[in-house]
Amino acid sequence: MKVLVTGGAGYIGSTICSALEDSGHTPIILDNLVTGRVEFTRGRIFYQDDIANVAGLERIFQEHPDIVAAIHCAALIIVPESVEKPYEYYTENVAKSLVLFRTLNRLGCNRVVFSSSASVYDTVPGFMVREDSPLRPGSPYARTKYMMEMILQDFCHAYGMKGIALRYFNPIGADPKMRSGLQVRNPSLVLGKLVNTARGLQPAFEITGTTWPTRDGTGIRDYIHVWDLAEAHVMAVEQFDQVFERLGGGQSYVVINLGTGRGVTVRELVEAFERVYGKPINKVEKPPRPGDVAGAYANADTALRLLGWKAKLSIEQAIADALKWAEIRDRVLHYE
Ligand SMILES: NC(=O)c1ccc[n+]([C@@H]2O[C@H](COP(=O)([O-])OP(=O)(O)OC[C@H]3O[C@@H](n4cnc5c(N)ncnc54)[C@H](O)[C@@H]3O)[C@@H](O)[C@H]2O)c1
């Protein structure tokens, strides 16, 4: 089946495209390359365009009337940047998704899988969150995700669309077949920073926050291999209609956590990294950064119940894949 993947030239979107292809499907990529990489679109159907360009979307659907679903990954994603540039974040993520959803609906593409984020959750005692746990998005970025979920839910209710919002926990790793991985040179994500420290590109790994009420004082997260995450999207589009049959009750919108169901602290992640890497790395302890939270991990029961999906790959495998990707990245990507 053909699936529109917005943001398909990005880290997660490109991995989803590989997983779709491995399952015999055809991704149609729509990406403006603001952070994505053209190298990840090679050999794939690719439209370099903005998600809010209505004429561009019309052209895609004219040329591919057999698209059965859309996976909407395109977004700006850097939390501190969203604090400095809320206008850009609300425009790119919220206003443009509004246009995208409207246009998809008008063009008859009423199955939407949306990349949401665990950053919408409030911190809860014990740190495990279910889909109905309290929400408290703590940054402009997280609020854009929250708003996009609300918009999608209201559109599903009003306009005959169906939506699956997948709340990702903390994606790490790279495509195990090394077709893609984290493309940014100075990643804001934790594993990217560990890899850069190991490779001598930054002097030390900063453990930001050591007095959180967790088992060792450092933040707790649910690190999920990006390949597991990508496969969940394949299952979501393959079983899209069945998901709503399983839900019953005429529902048209559902939220699903995508995590391993296991919380890992920053110190535990660093230890796992050092085990896989084979030697210790430089680390320094720092106070939390503005907007940091103790964290959360997923209750992943809904994904198992509705999609038959659960994470299979270990954190060690994700670290090994990230390290392997770091070795070859500059040969795959041609930086100016
Ligand atoms: N990486 C994470 O830790 C994480 C966690 C939770 C949720 N998510 C969500 O997953 C999705 C993908 O994230 P990622 O890590 O792959 O980021 P990324 O920056 O690698 O990918 C985003 C892609 O969207 C494209 N894009 C952005 N704005 C666009 C626009 N207006 N029109 C067309 N294309 C546009 C970019 O060029 C890029 O290729 C995002 O929606 C993000 O919010 C990511």
Side-chain angles (χ1 to χ4, degrees):
M1 65 173 82
K2 279 189 188 167
V3 181
L4 180 69
V5 183
T6 75
Y11 169 51
I12 294 169
S14 62
T15 318
I16 293 171
C17 290
S18 298
L20 283 167
E21 286 175 347
D22 286 4
S23 294
H25 306 300
T26 306
I28 312 286
I29 298 174
L30 169 60
D31 197 301
N32 65 3
L33 299 183
V34 60
T35 57
R37 299 292 310 201
V38 72
E39 294 89 337
F40 293 159
T41 69
R42 292 230 171 95
R44 294 178 173 157
I45 301 168
F46 171 45
Y47 294 83
Q48 182 175 349
D49 210 339
D50 197 282
I51 53 165
N53 181 1
V54 172
L57 282 162
E58 284 169 348
R59 188 177 143 217
I60 294 174
F61 279 86
Q62 255 160 26
E63 292 176 5
H64 304 281
D66 46 345
I67 291 174
V68 296
I71 300 177
H72 178 30
C73 298
L76 301 181
I77 68 151
I78 302 170
V79 171
E81 187 181 71
S82 79
V83 176
E84 281 158 29
K85 296 181 175 173
Y87 174 79
E88 282 78 359
Y89 272 69
Y90 286 112
T91 302
E92 294 301 313
N93 293 2
V94 182
K96 288 188 175 179
S97 292
L98 199 59
V99 176
L100 172 73
F101 292 156
R102 180 70 166 162
T103 311
L104 290 176
N105 179 238
R106 186 167 59 72
L107 296 172
C109 181
N110 286 317
R111 296 184 188 92
V112 176
V113 175
F114 171 58
S115 299
S116 191
S117 163
S119 63
V120 297
Y121 286 113
D122 200 354
T123 306
V124 300
F127 306 110
M128 188 190 76
V129 289
R130 302 163 51 94
E131 288 81 357
D132 57 1
S133 291
L135 304 183
R136 193 161 64 93
S139 68
Y141 164 74
R143 284 188 277 280
T144 69
K145 291 280 139 182
Y146 174 73
M147 288 180 190
M148 289 152 82
E149 280 196 10
M150 298 294 96
I151 290 167
L152 182 59
Q153 182 173 22
D154 289 343
F155 273 36
C156 289
H157 182 73
Y159 301 135
M161 301 176 85
K162 287 201 164 69
I164 301 178
L166 299 176
R167 288 189 186 144
Y168 309 166
F169 280 69
N170 302 89
I172 59 171
D175 169 25
K177 292 191 192 157
M178 295 294 121
R179 287 161 288 190
S180 62
L182 210 51
Q183 72 275 33
V184 281
R185 278 201 148 154
N186 295 307
S188 60
L189 304 170
V190 59
L191 186 55
K193 289 183 179 174
L194 282 167
V195 171
N196 273 0
T197 308
R199 290 168 59 82
L201 301 172
Q202 66 177 67
F205 176 76
E206 296 181 355
I207 300 177
T208 47
T210 53
T211 56
W212 297 112
T214 59
R215 51 185 172 259
D216 64 18
T218 63
I220 193 159
R221 301 287 184 273
D222 186 337
Y223 298 102
I224 172 165
H225 196 300
V226 69
W227 186 253
D228 274 330
L229 193 76
E231 288 203 312
H233 291 73
V234 176
M235 293 165 105
V237 292
E238 284 180 345
Q239 302 178 54
F240 197 96
D241 295 341
Q242 290 91 310
V243 165
F244 290 95
E245 279 161 25
R246 279 172 206 140
L247 274 169
Q251 288 192 57
S252 56
Y253 173 80
V254 64
V255 175
I256 302 177
N257 282 344
L258 290 185
T260 64
R262 202 177 127 238
V264 172
T265 68
V266 176
R267 274 195 228 284
E268 289 164 353
L269 180 72
V270 174
E271 280 162 24
F273 184 86
E274 290 178 334
R275 267 199 312 279
V276 176
Y277 184 56
K279 50 186 177 201
I281 57 159
N282 292 335
K283 18 187 199 292
V284 285
E285 298 194 355
K286 289 270 174 83
R289 298 158 302 178
D292 274 351
V293 290
Y297 67 95
N299 174 304
D301 294 352
T302 308
L304 186 61
R305 181 168 57 88
L306 293 179
L307 299 175
W309 173 91
K310 69 175 186 189
K312 293 190 212 122
L313 301 174
S314 67
I315 213 175
E316 285 79 7
Q317 163 99 46
I319 292 167
D321 287 333
L323 280 165
K324 217 192 298 174
W325 169 253
E327 285 290 320
I328 64 157
R329 187 194 62 187
D330 289 1
R331 270 177 273 137
V332 177
L333 302 180
H334 307 287
Y335 291 102
E336 321 58 59

